[in-house]
Amino acid sequence: MTEVVTLGECLVAFVATTPGPLAEATIFERFVAGAEANVAVGLARLGHSVAYIGRVGGDGFGQAITRRLRGEGIDITDLVIDPDAPTGLMFRERRVLGPSQVVYARRGSAGSRLTTAEVERAMARYQDAALLWLHLTGITPALSADAHAAAERAIESATAAGLTISLDLNLRRRLWSDDAAAPVLRALAANVHVLLGSPDELAVLTHRTADHDPVELARAALELGPSVVVVKTGAAGAVAVDRAAPGDAIVRPAVPLPVVVDPVGAGDAFCAGFIAARLDGADLGTALEMGNACGAAAASAVGDQTGLPDRAELAAILRAAADAGSPDTIR
């Protein structure tokens, strides 16, 4: 019984084993990555059944991805092996101070060749299943015209089936400019139930600046059409505003980390924790807490998926945060 379906490009990431600039990196560890795949793995570890729609190359990296996702218990029936295109790759340095440089090798990748026909076929398979949720990111429509159309078709199918639809903006400026991304992401946001993003991403959609108050950004984003807007504010935690009560913003602090080992993938982990909580019937405040805890867990280990917690690990993190006296805030 599949509860959640997601789609996008899965990559293989090579992450430098020691901190320092990419120019000096000589040894790398290999990981499976990709925003939607990270969310899928996060949800699976939290006990939810997930299916993944996408394409990987008919190469060893594609095999590594299929083995990893299958091993995590994810339904990859609709993960197509493309013999004519490579699996996307990324190379990433590790930095103790400042953002990490990332170099992609993904132009013409198998993941960018996802089609509407593949999405239609996949979504049709779930019409008689207990499917509840579709999760997308803003990366997929940036990959190609075909991938953009596939994302739109997924939303159309999910809307017709009465699913809850979430969109994590994940604005990737290496793929497109703010000016190119804004109208596309606004159009997608108008047709989803839950919109998630960082302050700078929501600022692009709402014609504001990233230094605006997160609550103001969330309320402005509600005007685009979603029912709930979540602002991921990193070390400050997260904010949610519900259309049913827009005057009552829910704020939850982040789970403090003594050392941030690797922040990449923390936002995807947040999405996994948030969606899992909502599938469990939790309120928005609890969903933010679970998202924050999952994000902290992901940032405590190298690799996008390494630190994603299971139920027992998540419970331990939440207990520790409660013992530390993290306050609840509504404003």
Side-chain angles (χ1 to χ4, degrees):
M1 182 180 73
T2 301
E3 297 171 280
V4 183
V5 64
T6 186
L7 61 95
E9 181 182 29
C10 203
L11 307 165
V12 164
F14 290 89
V15 183
T17 58
T18 56
L22 197 58
E24 299 298 327
T26 58
I27 301 175
F28 295 81
E29 290 182 273
R30 190 192 72 182
F31 299 94
V32 171
E36 301 85 0
N38 296 341
V39 174
V41 171
L43 282 164
R45 290 190 187 177
L46 293 173
H48 291 284
S49 53
V50 191
Y52 184 84
I53 304 170
R55 278 176 169 250
V56 293
D59 47 38
F61 295 134
Q63 286 183 331
I65 290 170
T66 58
R67 290 172 182 174
R68 177 59 185 270
L69 296 184
R70 187 184 295 115
E72 293 285 353
I74 295 166
D75 181 350
I76 57 169
T77 303
D78 296 298
L79 181 59
V80 176
I81 308 299
D82 187 336
D84 300 318
T87 302
L89 306 177
M90 63 182 290
F91 300 85
R92 178 160 58 85
E93 67 185 13
R94 291 177 60 193
R95 289 278 189 177
V96 175
L97 180 66
S100 296
Q101 182 182 358
V102 180
V103 174
Y104 290 100
R106 72 197 309 181
R107 186 179 299 276
S109 70
S112 69
R113 290 155 59 104
L114 183 66
T115 68
T116 56
E118 288 162 350
V119 169
E120 287 173 353
R121 184 166 58 249
M123 295 300 289
R125 287 204 316 113
Y126 300 112
Q127 285 184 353
D128 297 325
L131 189 62
L132 302 172
W133 199 292
L134 168 71
H135 179 71
L136 302 164
T137 80
I139 298 173
T140 304
L143 296 174
S144 67
D146 284 346
H148 179 193
E152 291 181 321
R153 185 60 52 86
I155 290 176
E156 292 170 1
S157 298
T159 300
L163 308 184
T164 297
I165 307 169
S166 57
L167 171 67
D168 186 12
L169 292 173
N170 257 322
L171 178 56
R172 293 291 187 265
R173 292 178 171 91
R174 287 175 179 268
L175 294 174
W176 52 0
S177 67
D178 288 0
D179 288 343
V184 174
L185 295 179
R186 276 197 293 266
L188 295 179
N191 294 293
V192 306
H193 302 92
V194 182
L195 179 67
L196 306 101
S198 62
D200 71 295
E201 292 167 342
L202 289 167
V204 171
L205 265 67
T206 60
H207 303 294
R208 286 164 171 78
T209 58
D211 58 0
H212 273 74
D213 180 73
V215 174
E216 180 184 341
L217 285 170
R219 288 176 178 148
L222 276 180
E223 298 176 8
L224 299 174
S227 301
V228 173
V229 176
V230 177
V231 189
K232 297 180 285 184
T233 53
V239 174
V241 175
D242 190 331
R243 180 175 296 280
D248 297 327
I250 302 169
V251 183
R252 293 294 186 270
V255 173
L257 277 178
V259 177
V260 176
V261 176
D262 185 359
V264 177
D268 304 326
F270 177 94
C271 290
F274 180 89
I275 294 171
R278 297 300 273 175
L279 289 171
D280 294 341
D283 59 25
L284 274 178
T286 301
L288 294 183
E289 291 166 4
M290 285 181 61
N292 286 337
C294 288
S300 68
V302 178
D304 291 28
Q305 300 172 6
T306 308
L308 292 170
D310 59 23
R311 283 284 179 178
E313 292 166 332
L314 177 59
I317 295 169
L318 290 170
R319 281 196 302 270
D323 291 342
S326 298
D328 294 341
T329 306
I330 297 181
R331 55 175 173 170

